[in-house]
Amino acid sequence: MPIRRLPPETVNRIAAGEVVERPASAIKELVDNAVDAGATRIEVEAHGGGLTRILVADNGMGLSAEELPVAIERHATSKLAPDADGLWDLLRIHTMGFRGEALPSIGSVARLQISSRAKGQKDAFSILVEGGQVGEVAPAAFPGPHGARIEVRDLFYATPARLKFMKSERAEALAITEEIKRQAMAHEAVGFSLDIDGRRVLRLLPEHPGPQGRLARLAAVLGRDFQDNAIEIDQTRDGVRLTGFAGLPTYNRGNAAHQYLFVNGRPVRDRLLQGALRAAYADFLARDRHPTAALYVSLDTAEVDVNVHPAKAEVRFRDPALVRGLIVGALRHALAGAGHRASTTVATQALDSIRAQGASFGGSPFQFRADPSPAGFSAWREGGWAPPRPQVLPGLSDVSARVEPGFGDVLSQAYDAVQNTDPSQSYPRAGNCAAPPFDPVDFPLGAARAQVHETYIVAQTRDGMVIVDQHAAHERLVYERMKGEMESGGVARQTLLLPEVVDLDPAEAERVIARAEELATLGLIVESFGPGAVLVRETPALLGQTDAGGLIRDIADDLAENGQALALKERLEEVCSTMACHGSVRAGRRLNGAEMNALLREMEATPHSGQCNHGRPTYVELKLADIERLFGRR
């Protein structure tokens, strides 16, 4: 067949298929243009899931009568300019939109009307585009001093086949809402409003530029709980700066939907972020739980290519390993000091919940009747509050209060050092008020005062009290000790009786062999076995009998997706976590004063001891002021 030139209408519709995937994509392009125009207020309306009508209005610089017809031509843009040599540098993009495809693409598949008044001009003008047919520029009414109003009706009416691939109006409306939220998180200094079918869904006032304004915007979008549980991130490495906020491990979700990455102010979707978060939180969350984060990467525009995707939803870094390492390192550094924060945050939220419940009973968390009935505690139940029924755990009478071999070397040594103290200083159960062997002023976690329900240690601190989950705390201590031993002595390996050959794609095999030295440090010895095959000679002893082929394939997938062999590390950490769990002091184990204080002292000396391996706090701290407020003393 002969080569033919496509007509402009067909070219525009092909571009529309790439750029305007759905109503949310059209709104993204129009919002990008508004941000580039310097708008501080952007209003969005959508009807029928955006398929019937879309309106995006802003108070930006606006368009003059001469600019309107040029704006709807393909690849016409105000955001690129030639350099002194007349070259157009596509690697130094400083704006959100730059291709000049959005308006002509939308106009080719919908009815598009642009009304605008340029800044400093008195008159406003409009232009209409229907199915690629451009009308004349005409005078128009415009409500504001300057800006633009872009109205899109009957999206995809010129390409009805596309309508069959649209989701329900509700699903499209949710996609629009999610897109506006992303834009709002990227530009905290811009006010946003969103109306869906005449109902106000979102109204966000402009915030002050900077971390506090950004956190306020994130709280408005993600919820106040995110603000209460957020850790600030601000790190720079080799010209790349990472800022933003990440959630505490105790504030986790069941999926990765609340992980956001912004590159030079542009919301993007990048698998690199998910892999980096997964690696940074590996020690704090179970594999089926996911952290929340909004991270902002700022770097030289020459170091990132934003031109790899027609909708500009993806970017490509010149040095992805640098960006990934920065994200992982910054998050781990921030999480290292977050244990205490997590514990106090959980306690504060619990107290707030108690106060909220108390408000429904008349303002006090606990309600007692003035005239106790002969039924005793039944009077409390009548007043709307009943104490919880005590739980009797089976086998508690057989639990010994002495140090057993499985309790852990650290606590055994600490116990041996203090077991010759005065017996009156040992208090294995609540109700014994003997003086502790430690002064609470001397230590951050204070001095142990009692053990309740054979599960929780109650300690007095300088200005409050700490409640420790003895099993979760000791599990973290054992886990950290096992990790330290593994790192210092190397991972013990077991030699396979018959080396296993794993067939892979040649590119996958090449990636695995390139990381052979790194894998060896983790106890996995691999060799090249011809093109597309890997020979496994030794595996980590911790894994026992393992599926070497499945492990190698998982590692290959991780290397392709995240650039790191997370699968092997996670399996080793999971085994360590399981062993730590089984080797830790259990709930229901009665401890004496020496053992409890030894546990507290070791927690103070161990990193990350504020959270267990599953994202839960190992202790909560209650300040004396909070306790006094509960009882109405303040």
Side-chain angles (χ1 to χ4, degrees):
M1 294 180 63
I3 299 175
R4 299 181 178 88
R5 291 187 177 89
L6 295 175
E9 297 81 5
T10 304
V11 173
N12 285 340
R13 289 177 182 176
I14 293 174
E18 298 175 341
V19 178
V20 189
E21 179 185 356
R22 61 194 304 186
S25 305
I27 290 176
K28 173 190 180 300
E29 297 289 345
L30 299 178
V31 170
D32 281 346
N33 287 340
V35 171
D36 288 339
T40 59
R41 187 184 71 253
I42 300 175
E43 300 175 1
V44 180
E45 298 178 13
H47 294 266
L51 295 170
T52 304
R53 178 176 178 267
I54 292 172
L55 174 67
V56 177
D58 66 72
N59 64 344
M61 298 294 294
L63 297 166
S64 65
E66 295 76 19
E67 292 174 320
L68 280 174
V70 183
I72 55 177
E73 293 181 7
R74 289 202 71 211
H75 304 307
T77 179
S78 62
K79 301 160 189 177
L80 287 176
D83 58 19
D85 299 326
L87 299 177
W88 300 75
D89 189 357
L90 291 178
L91 292 180
R92 294 192 177 274
I93 306 299
H94 298 276
T95 57
M96 299 300 104
F98 59 90
R99 288 171 173 262
E101 290 178 308
L103 293 179
S105 297
I106 296 171
S108 68
V109 295
R111 295 180 173 90
L112 172 70
Q113 183 172 19
I114 306 175
S115 302
S116 180
R117 175 183 285 129
K119 189 172 184 179
Q121 294 190 4
K122 179 180 179 181
D123 299 324
F125 299 90
S126 68
I127 191 170
L128 180 65
V129 185
E130 291 194 40
Q133 300 300 315
V134 182
E136 297 293 330
V137 176
F142 192 82
H146 56 83
R149 288 172 60 87
I150 302 178
E151 187 174 16
V152 181
R153 291 186 178 273
D154 303 326
L155 189 62
F156 300 127
Y157 92 95
T159 54
R162 293 291 302 277
L163 293 172
K164 299 178 182 178
F165 297 92
M166 294 297 107
K167 297 182 179 179
S168 65
E169 289 186 4
R170 175 179 172 79
E172 296 298 340
L174 289 175
I176 291 171
T177 303
E178 181 65 20
E179 181 59 43
I180 296 301
K181 287 182 176 180
R182 286 178 178 272
Q183 294 285 351
M185 287 189 282
H187 311 289
E188 70 274 6
V190 179
F192 286 85
S193 67
L194 172 63
D195 289 15
I196 301 288
D197 294 326
R199 179 174 59 89
R200 178 60 52 90
V201 175
L202 205 61
R203 178 177 174 81
L204 301 170
L205 298 176
E207 303 288 349
H208 292 291
Q212 295 307 313
R214 179 171 288 172
L215 182 58
R217 173 59 58 84
L218 293 175
V221 174
L222 300 178
R224 188 64 60 182
D225 283 348
F226 179 81
Q227 182 180 34
D228 295 337
N229 291 274
I231 313 169
E232 185 175 359
I233 309 294
D234 191 349
Q235 293 285 335
T236 302
R237 182 185 300 175
D238 295 339
V240 181
R241 185 182 182 190
L242 178 72
T243 59
F245 296 87
L248 292 167
T250 49
Y251 182 73
N252 54 68
R253 296 298 186 94
N255 56 48
H258 291 78
Q259 298 175 359
Y260 303 93
L261 179 65
F262 305 89
V263 178
N264 289 344
R266 183 189 306 278
V268 299
R269 295 176 177 87
D270 197 300
R271 291 180 301 178
L272 178 141
L273 172 64
Q274 292 186 1
L277 285 171
R278 183 175 154 197
Y281 281 82
D283 276 354
F284 303 98
L285 291 180
R287 296 187 66 178
D288 60 342
R289 303 302 298 177
H290 301 268
T292 59
L295 302 178
Y296 301 78
V297 177
S298 302
L299 72 169
D300 191 325
T301 54
E303 299 298 318
V304 57
D305 187 359
V306 299
N307 200 29
V308 297
H309 192 278
K312 304 180 292 295
E314 299 175 5
V315 297
R316 183 172 298 148
F317 296 102
R318 177 169 292 182
D319 190 352
L322 170 63
V323 178
R324 186 189 183 283
L326 174 61
I327 293 176
V328 174
L331 286 171
R332 285 180 174 171
H333 178 76
L335 290 171
H340 180 74
R341 164 84 182 280
S343 302
T344 54
T345 300
V346 169
T348 302
Q349 291 173 344
L351 291 171
D352 291 342
S353 176
I354 292 174
R355 294 189 191 103
Q357 293 175 8
S360 65
F361 297 135
S364 174
F366 308 105
Q367 294 292 313
F368 303 94
R369 292 175 62 98
D371 50 340
S373 69
F377 291 121
S378 63
W380 291 3
R381 300 186 181 96
E382 294 171 10
W385 181 86
R389 184 186 300 274
Q391 296 182 352
V392 179
L393 300 178
L396 282 188
S397 58
D398 299 328
V399 177
S400 172
R402 63 184 175 84
V403 176
E404 297 175 355
F407 184 75
D409 296 337
V410 175
L411 300 190
S412 298
Q413 294 170 4
Y415 176 74
D416 292 339
V418 296
Q419 66 176 344
N420 295 323
T421 57
D422 189 337
S424 66
Q425 293 182 347
S426 195
Y427 37 98
R429 57 177 61 86
N432 186 336
C433 299
F438 295 98
D439 187 339
V441 175
D442 296 336
F443 301 97
L445 294 182
R449 294 297 191 189
Q451 181 192 29
V452 295
H453 296 293
E454 283 77 29
T455 302
Y456 302 102
I457 299 171
V458 180
Q460 178 185 344
T461 62
R462 179 194 299 268
D463 57 352
M465 62 183 290
V466 165
I467 304 174
V468 178
D469 181 332
Q470 64 189 39
H471 172 67
H474 194 230
E475 180 182 349
R476 168 56 76 176
L477 301 182
V478 174
Y479 177 66
E480 291 294 334
R481 186 167 68 249
M482 291 179 65
K483 278 178 50 185
E485 292 172 354
M486 191 170 65
E487 292 172 0
S488 60
V491 179
R493 301 193 296 260
Q494 57 186 2
T495 303
L496 298 183
L497 186 61
L498 294 175
E500 184 168 345
V501 178
V502 183
D503 292 323
L504 298 171
D505 180 89
E508 293 177 334
E510 204 172 305
R511 278 193 290 266
V512 172
I513 296 302
R515 298 297 184 97
E517 291 186 8
E518 177 186 336
L519 297 176
T521 63
L522 297 173
L524 184 66
I525 304 300
V526 296
E527 299 175 3
S528 177
F529 198 72
V534 172
L535 181 70
V536 182
R537 291 194 177 276
E538 299 178 52
T539 59
L542 272 177
L543 299 183
Q545 292 184 350
T546 186
D547 178 10
L551 177 59
I552 291 294
R553 293 185 186 93
D554 288 344
I555 291 172
D557 291 340
D558 276 337
L559 290 174
E561 184 172 350
N562 305 309
Q564 190 174 13
L566 293 177
L568 179 55
K569 290 184 177 180
E570 287 181 346
R571 289 197 189 188
L572 290 172
E573 289 167 355
E574 186 176 6
V575 172
C576 288
S577 179
T578 302
M579 294 173 64
C581 183
H582 289 287
S584 303
V585 57
R586 312 297 295 179
R589 165 74 178 278
R590 188 174 299 174
L591 307 179
N592 61 27
E595 294 172 326
M596 290 188 284
N597 279 302
L599 180 64
L600 296 177
R601 303 292 79 79
E602 185 64 14
M603 287 177 65
E604 292 165 351
T606 302
H608 314 309
S609 63
Q611 293 142 1
C612 76
N613 313 336
H614 310 293
R616 297 188 295 268
T618 58
Y619 69 92
V620 294
E621 181 178 11
L622 302 176
K623 296 297 185 182
L624 184 59
D626 289 327
I627 300 173
E628 290 177 338
R629 274 195 294 269
L630 280 176
F631 288 95
R633 289 181 174 269
R634 290 193 179 187

